[in-house]
Amino acid sequence: MAYASTLSLRELRQDLHAHPESGWKEFRTTALIAAALDEREFTLHLGPDAVAEDERLGVPDDDAVAAAVERAREEDAPEAYLDRMGDITGLVAEKRFGNGPTVGVRVDMDALERTESSDEKHRPAKLGFASTHPNEMHACGHDGHTAIGLGIARALDDDGGFDGTLRLFFQPAEEGGRGGKPMSETDLLADIDYFLALHLGLGNPTGTVIAAYENPLSNAKLDVTFEGAPSHAGNAPNEGRNALHAATAAVQNLYGIPRHADGTTRINVGKFESPNPQNIIAEEARLRVEVRGGTADLNEYMLDKARRVLDHAAGMHDVSVETGLYGKTATFTADDEMIEAVLASAADLDDVTETVPRLDIGGSEDASYLIRRVQEHGGKATYVGIGASNEFGHHTSRFDIDEDALDIGVDVVCQTIRAL
């Protein structure tokens, strides 16, 4: 029996929590889930068959990917599925139960690049399932999402399914908005009739179900590199071309971009690096910049303005600048038909104590690309929130979820699928 098949949803979530894998490194996670679904005779699309390879964003370098594959092997990931993936993560698994509609469900798998708390009051540390991987942590609930995805497959498969086809999308690299677009570019979304994505927590107590989170901000992230020329800061400062000076000028003026009258616009510089001795004119400086907009047009307005600032900061200081798109998301609105189906299904469940029709999600979410692709082809979609009583905020070192929410997530989605 596949290892993941021997675990309860709670045990699986804790195993994944202890072995987090950041974006485009989810080799062990993908292989474990693939083995469990293969055992149930799901058709598997792995790696380059699950995502459009050339559309991937923010991919780690070859050495980092190779190290992630080797680590997965050392942690007993099933070899056959690692071989099928090659150097690309991601899984789409499907099973036909009847002749009715095709229903898609998307869950994300990746962890964040941050260190988990070792405080004895932090439940994963206290119970022994905190991250064993340096600078990687499931701080946003994607371990729980992955467990719910497998739980949906189990529940429907054990109960005879429904009159239709189930297609499960286990998406890599949600953090940073890097995996949704390449997964949306495959043909596997073209014939989806109904589509659900989901998220645990988001500050809601266990028992609360939000039938539609919607209207996330469109988002784009840029990796920026300024290149100048070094010289001795005391002996010949005039001979250098200061990349650090250009980068600081860029930061100041990026925050000065006028906000738009037509709606929400945001900008942030989240990373600034210039590894350089104090007595050398800096020849390189790197930034990671993100912009957001309430619409795609507003996001493009901010992106265009940001690129203009970067170019002119480089010109002012006689250095070069290169930008690369690290990640990108879009916005969406959920379909009323799906909201009504989720509300009706959730209301029938004893463990659901409150239902909310719709809320604005506020941040950004790359499931937007999958949702929009389904809607463009005539399908209906929503993004469901499952309360999980997370005491500490998402992306913090002490983030954790109430694991009772895992079964609620499975039940809400399965009931909705049967209703559809």
Side-chain angles (χ1 to χ4, degrees), residues 190-323:
D191 62 343
I192 298 286
D193 298 293
Y194 302 106
F195 186 83
L196 301 98
L198 60 88
H199 208 300
L200 289 163
L202 300 177
N204 298 295
T206 303
T208 299
V209 173
I210 295 89
Y213 271 117
E214 57 186 354
N215 302 317
L217 299 177
S218 293
N219 171 287
K221 296 174 175 65
L222 292 175
D223 276 335
V224 182
T225 303
F226 291 94
E227 293 279 357
S231 67
H232 195 282
N235 185 47
N238 56 297
E239 295 179 8
R241 291 183 289 115
N242 198 325
L244 179 59
H245 202 175
T248 57
V251 171
Q252 181 181 12
N253 287 282
L254 286 168
Y255 282 108
I257 293 173
R259 302 305 181 259
H260 205 290
D262 289 349
T264 301
T265 48
R266 300 280 190 272
I267 189 162
N268 191 55
V269 180
K271 183 181 288 187
F272 190 127
E273 298 175 326
S274 183
N276 196 69
Q278 81 284 347
N279 60 347
I280 300 295
I281 299 297
E283 64 183 302
E284 182 179 272
R286 297 186 296 273
L287 310 176
R288 181 164 293 160
V289 181
E290 73 163 17
V291 298
R292 302 179 194 246
T295 66
D297 286 345
L298 289 171
N299 191 53
E300 289 302 315
Y301 160 81
M302 293 299 291
L303 187 57
D304 289 346
K305 292 289 188 182
R307 284 176 165 147
R308 182 171 180 269
V309 166
L310 295 167
D311 288 342
H312 284 275
M316 285 172 61
H317 297 283
D318 194 23
V319 304
S320 64
V321 63
E322 291 187 2
T323 62

Side-chain angles (χ1 to χ4, degrees), residues 44 55 76 85 91 113 164 214 245 263 266 369 385 395:
L44 306 181
E55 297 293 329
D76 298 322
M85 275 185 273
L91 167 66
E113 293 181 347
E214 57 186 354
H245 202 175
R266 300 280 190 272
Y369 283 111
H395 295 202

Side-chain angles (χ1 to χ4, degrees), residues 17-314:
H17 191 91
H19 301 90
E21 299 169 299
S22 59
W24 300 120
K25 298 179 183 178
E26 312 92 332
F27 292 98
R28 180 180 184 271
T29 304
T30 304
L32 291 181
I33 300 302
L37 293 174
D38 199 9
E39 191 173 73
R40 290 179 174 270
E41 299 183 342
F42 276 70
T43 299
L44 306 181
H45 308 270
L46 276 159
D49 295 327
V51 299
E53 180 176 356
D54 293 340
E55 297 293 329
R56 292 178 300 153
L57 298 169
V59 180
D61 63 43
D62 291 346
D63 290 343
V65 171
V69 174
E70 184 57 32
R71 182 178 66 184
R73 284 198 179 92
E74 292 171 356
E75 295 177 343
D76 298 322
E79 283 279 353
Y81 305 98
L82 292 178
D83 291 343
R84 287 176 61 181
M85 275 185 273
D87 59 359
I88 300 175
T89 56
L91 167 66
V92 181
E94 59 184 311
K95 189 168 187 177
R96 181 177 177 179
F97 297 103
N99 298 320
T102 299
V103 180
V105 179
R106 176 270 199 180
V107 293
D108 41 15
M109 302 186 292
D110 58 318
L112 283 146
E113 293 181 347
R114 69 154 306 133
T115 299
E116 184 162 11
S117 173
S118 58
D119 191 306
E120 62 181 12
K121 295 180 181 178
H122 180 49
R123 191 177 70 98
K126 181 179 180 180
L127 298 183
F129 67 92
S131 172
T132 58
H133 295 167
N135 197 40
E136 286 178 296
M137 176 194 172
H138 272 297
C140 199
H142 299 187
D143 48 351
H145 301 170
T146 304
I148 288 173
L150 182 58
I152 292 165
R154 287 177 179 175
L156 290 173
D157 198 37
D158 289 344
D159 195 34
F162 65 102
D163 186 19
T165 298
L166 175 66
R167 191 171 296 157
L168 295 163
F169 295 78
F170 292 87
Q171 184 202 305
E174 184 277 332
E175 299 295 350
R178 296 175 287 157
K181 190 174 189 297
M183 185 160 265
S184 75
E185 296 291 338
T186 70
D187 292 334
L188 296 167
L189 283 153
D191 62 343
I192 298 286
D193 298 293
Y194 302 106
F195 186 83
L196 301 98
L198 60 88
H199 208 300
L200 289 163
L202 300 177
N204 298 295
T206 303
T208 299
V209 173
I210 295 89
Y213 271 117
E214 57 186 354
N215 302 317
L217 299 177
S218 293
N219 171 287
K221 296 174 175 65
L222 292 175
D223 276 335
V224 182
T225 303
F226 291 94
E227 293 279 357
S231 67
H232 195 282
N235 185 47
N238 56 297
E239 295 179 8
R241 291 183 289 115
N242 198 325
L244 179 59
H245 202 175
T248 57
V251 171
Q252 181 181 12
N253 287 282
L254 286 168
Y255 282 108
I257 293 173
R259 302 305 181 259
H260 205 290
D262 289 349
T264 301
T265 48
R266 300 280 190 272
I267 189 162
N268 191 55
V269 180
K271 183 181 288 187
F272 190 127
E273 298 175 326
S274 183
N276 196 69
Q278 81 284 347
N279 60 347
I280 300 295
I281 299 297
E283 64 183 302
E284 182 179 272
R286 297 186 296 273
L287 310 176
R288 181 164 293 160
V289 181
E290 73 163 17
V291 298
R292 302 179 194 246
T295 66
D297 286 345
L298 289 171
N299 191 53
E300 289 302 315
Y301 160 81
M302 293 299 291
L303 187 57
D304 289 346
K305 292 289 188 182
R307 284 176 165 147
R308 182 171 180 269
V309 166
L310 295 167
D311 288 342
H312 284 275

